[in-house]
Amino acid sequence: MYQFDEDMPTPNFLHDVAKGNIWDSRALNIFGFNRTVGTSFETLWDDGGNYAYPSSAVAMDVVSTSLSDTMDVKINGLDANYVEISETVTLTGTSAVTTTASFLRINSAIILAGSNVGDINITNGGTKYAFIGATIGTTQSSVYTVPAGHSIYLFRIDVTSGTNNGQKYLTFRNVVKTNTGRTLRVAEATFATSQVSFDRQLPFKIAEKSDFHFEAKSSSSENEVSIFVEAILVKDS
């Protein structure tokens, strides 16, 4: 149902969602980037390779590769029950800071001041679960897990690359894994132009407690690939 703020309505539903006028719905803009996509499928996230999800909720170590980074970093994710949580930690340069909260999933992380000089790594036991590249300030990862009691509706997906051509093509797909263990690798598509866009008239629904990410591979050599996803997170009735 289209329910908008009576004091601040707009003629566009998606605009109202972005403004926070729609009850129990909010906009999601998910960005992913991988500089070295090769000939095997790998996750579109800024650290490259295949993303691995934690097997249980764990505390995270947050550290920069530069002594200059002493700003706050906000981590957004889910607890052991897939409930949304966030925590802000203050970096101490190249010395790791451990979160108080235990994260089953990390959906994003962002610095809250300045510009990070070094790479910021968020890890547990040597496995990296989030990454903020030097000077970028936020994660660029297509990895997302749907909170408990919510669903995500994907509206638009843009995939871009400046290195493919008529003799080389890229393949990408959406990977969805439910909390019961079922994995679907869907919407596989190839393209040989600099950009491909999917503007869905009927949004694609992803249910609660589902992990999803996008992955890509090339027909030859390594490629830079980015993805832009527009979605709405809706609280289930």
Side-chain angles (χ1 to χ4, degrees):
M1 181 180 295
Y2 183 12
Q3 299 175 340
F4 60 85
D5 190 314
E6 293 180 354
D7 296 324
M8 298 182 294
T10 75
N12 186 288
F13 169 73
L14 295 179
H15 189 189
D16 273 323
V17 171
K19 290 184 68 176
N21 294 344
I22 307 299
W23 179 73
D24 277 347
S25 299
R26 70 175 189 262
L28 286 180
N29 289 284
I30 301 170
F31 312 104
F33 186 52
N34 186 327
R35 288 180 170 83
T36 55
V37 172
T39 55
S40 297
F41 277 113
E42 56 184 273
T43 309
L44 294 179
W45 76 304
D46 33 12
D47 194 52
N50 291 304
Y51 187 87
Y53 296 93
S55 58
S56 61
V58 292
M60 296 290 173
D61 295 324
V62 189
V63 64
S64 174
T65 58
S66 171
L67 290 170
S68 299
D69 289 334
T70 57
M71 71 280 289
D72 287 346
V73 177
K74 184 177 182 181
I75 304 170
N76 302 297
L78 307 178
D79 68 10
N81 297 311
Y82 291 87
V83 175
E84 288 187 290
I85 57 172
S86 65
E87 182 174 343
T88 299
V89 300
T90 302
L91 290 176
T92 56
T94 57
S95 298
V97 180
T98 303
T99 63
T100 301
S102 294
F103 289 84
L104 178 65
R105 298 289 185 267
I106 294 178
N107 281 336
S108 67
I110 187 170
I111 65 172
L112 299 183
S115 177
N116 57 302
V117 176
D119 295 332
I120 299 172
N121 297 290
I122 302 175
T123 66
N124 174 273
T127 301
K128 195 175 301 182
Y129 296 112
F131 174 83
I132 300 175
T135 74
I136 301 300
T138 186
T139 48
Q140 296 188 103
S141 174
S142 69
V143 178
Y144 195 92
T145 299
V146 186
H150 293 74
S151 296
I152 280 181
Y153 296 84
L154 301 183
F155 276 84
R156 187 177 67 87
I157 302 167
D158 281 353
V159 186
T160 67
S161 175
T163 57
N164 56 348
N165 52 56
Q167 286 72 48
K168 180 170 61 175
Y169 61 88
L170 292 168
T171 304
F172 81 99
R173 65 189 182 188
N174 185 5
V175 181
V176 180
K177 183 176 182 179
T178 69
N179 66 318
T180 60
R182 183 180 70 161
T183 301
L184 302 175
R185 294 176 173 87
V186 298
E188 189 166 287
T190 60
F191 65 103
T193 58
S194 61
Q195 178 179 356
V196 61
S197 182
F198 297 88
D199 191 0
R200 304 183 65 94
Q201 300 303 302
L202 292 175
F204 180 72
K205 179 181 177 180
I206 301 177
E208 66 164 359
K209 303 180 183 179
S210 296
D211 300 319
F212 76 90
H213 65 267
F214 290 84
E215 58 185 16
K217 68 176 182 178
S218 170
S219 61
S220 65
S221 68
E222 289 187 341
N223 306 264
E224 292 187 344
V225 182
S226 62
I227 187 166
F228 304 85
V229 179
E230 292 180 347
I232 297 177
L233 178 66
V234 180
K235 185 175 182 180
D236 296 330
S237 300

